[in-house]
Amino acid sequence: DQQVKQNSPSLSVQEGRISILNCDYTNSMFDYFLWYKKYPAEGPTFLISISSIKDKNEDGRFTVFLNKSAKHLSLHIVPSQPGDSAVYFCAAKGETSYDKVIFGPGTSLSVIP
Amino acid sequence: GAGVSQSPSNKVTEKGKDVELRCDPISGHTALYWYRQSLGQGLEFLIYFQGNSAPDKSGLPSDRFSAERTGGSVSTLTIQRTQQEDSAVYLCASSPGGGNNQPQHFGDGTRLSIL
């Protein structure tokens, strides 16, 4: 049973436009959410995170929105750049340090020049 | 470098052989994770070590899989009697752990191919 879902396996966006990647989760005990970016043949790298006490966190071109009542979060990238083409993983964990991080299946983003 | 280091980067072996994959986490990180990514799939959680606590082994797919973390640092993931379905990229990650949420730092993985 997948606790973190990313229902879009892939997404194509024109350069300069906004990319919106979506993530849904089922476990209401999740307290901390992260987005990772992965290029081929490399490990995932951390992009941005959000705690459940917030509904928005922004870092440059990247913004994460959290809707706890809907158990939904999204990553907005604006403007999108060709170098953003990668697989994006949504991840979640509970509030204690003993809670493990659970990843979604990923969304492959292609930014078309 | 100061990142998570995994070895070997690639491993090809025959079905039925045992393999050992190694992970050197970032110095001082108390939390260590193993994940695997099969072709076209997401990151599948395998096992989690946090400090001196008993590891969370809930993601290990069978008893052929085991992992150790010696001295709270280096970790070894062992797969016995490998099967073709074990072919995947095995990723290790570490984080500072403790009471604060901190993102994980990943190694570049070991690509395991079972012939």
Side-chain angles (χ1 to χ4, degrees):
Chain A
D1 183 32
Q2 226 173 35
Q3 296 188 65
V4 179
K5 303 177 185 181
Q6 293 176 258
N7 292 324
S8 298
S10 62
L11 177 68
S12 281
V13 171
Q14 205 74 28
E15 181 179 4
R17 299 290 190 103
I18 185 169
S19 294
I20 299 177
L21 297 102
N22 292 304
C23 176
D24 296 285
Y25 60 96
T26 58
N27 190 338
S28 59
M29 299 304 291
F30 285 149
D31 185 71
Y32 181 62
F33 305 90
L34 311 96
W35 285 93
Y36 285 80
K37 175 179 177 179
K38 185 181 185 301
Y39 293 118
E42 295 182 9
T45 55
F46 170 71
L47 199 54
I48 192 168
S49 64
I50 188 166
S51 166
S52 61
I53 62 173
K54 293 186 171 183
D55 55 17
K56 176 183 174 181
N57 189 24
E58 189 173 351
D59 183 1
R61 296 186 298 114
F62 302 91
T63 303
V64 55
F65 296 91
L66 175 63
N67 182 335
K68 280 199 73 178
S69 61
K71 296 192 181 70
H72 177 83
L73 63 155
S74 61
L75 174 68
H76 293 210
I77 306 172
V78 55
S80 301
Q81 299 173 354
D84 296 330
S85 297
V87 177
Y88 289 80
F89 291 99
C90 172
K93 74 180 290 289
E95 61 181 341
T96 77
S97 61
Y98 301 103
D99 289 305
K100 58 183 178 280
V101 179
I102 303 296
F103 281 77
T107 295
S108 178
L109 173 67
S110 296
V111 179
I112 304 162
Chain B
V4 176
S5 177
Q6 290 188 245
S7 61
S9 54
N10 285 282
K11 176 74 176 178
V12 181
T13 193
E14 291 178 348
K15 176 182 169 181
K17 301 282 190 182
D18 297 351
V19 295
E20 280 191 357
L21 312 180
R22 177 187 168 103
C23 173
D24 283 271
I26 292 173
S27 178
H29 280 192
T30 61
L32 186 147
Y33 299 76
W34 284 97
Y35 296 89
R36 76 175 175 182
Q37 186 176 23
S38 302
L39 189 63
Q41 303 297 313
L43 292 175
E44 176 188 3
F45 166 77
L46 296 178
I47 188 168
Y48 168 43
F49 296 89
Q50 172 55 59
N52 294 322
S53 301
D56 181 337
K57 303 179 181 181
S58 60
L60 294 178
S62 77
D63 59 7
R64 297 186 294 105
F65 288 72
S66 62
E68 288 186 341
R69 188 178 186 192
T70 54
S73 180
V74 171
S75 178
T76 303
L77 177 69
T78 301
I79 310 172
Q80 296 178 309
R81 305 180 304 282
T82 52
Q83 303 295 313
Q84 288 186 328
E85 62 262 27
D86 300 334
S87 297
V89 176
Y90 288 81
L91 290 158
C92 176
S94 71
S95 68
N100 297 318
N101 284 316
Q102 295 284 339
Q104 297 160 303
H105 298 259
F106 280 83
D108 286 337
T110 293
R111 182 174 297 276
L112 177 65
S113 299
I114 309 300
L115 302 178

